Amino acid sequence: MKPIWKVLAWLFAACGILAYLSAWGNMWFGWNLWGTSAQYLFDDAMATGLFAIFFLVWGKWGKEQ
């Protein structure tokens, strides 16, 4: 597995976790980052998590060049 795919996967995983925690902070404490709603942040967390999984799978089984 090339290091670039690992780095991208961890970067997207970290962004997904931050978005997820921001969404819960928005719901519990009323944090309002950049004027976004909690639903948008939850959707963003799921999307970035899926991209992280994609990068892990692509790095493991993708065509090596």
Side-chain angles (χ1 to χ4, degrees), residues 8-52:
L8 282 173
W10 282 108
L11 179 69
F12 274 78
C15 288
I17 290 169
L18 287 174
Y20 186 75
L21 292 175
S22 297
W24 278 111
N26 189 338
M27 290 175 57
W28 286 343
F29 306 116
W31 297 343
N32 195 358
L33 301 174
W34 305 291
T36 58
S37 67
Q39 181 63 42
Y40 175 75
L41 291 171
F42 280 121
D43 293 342
D44 185 44
M46 286 191 290
T48 54
L50 288 174
F51 272 104

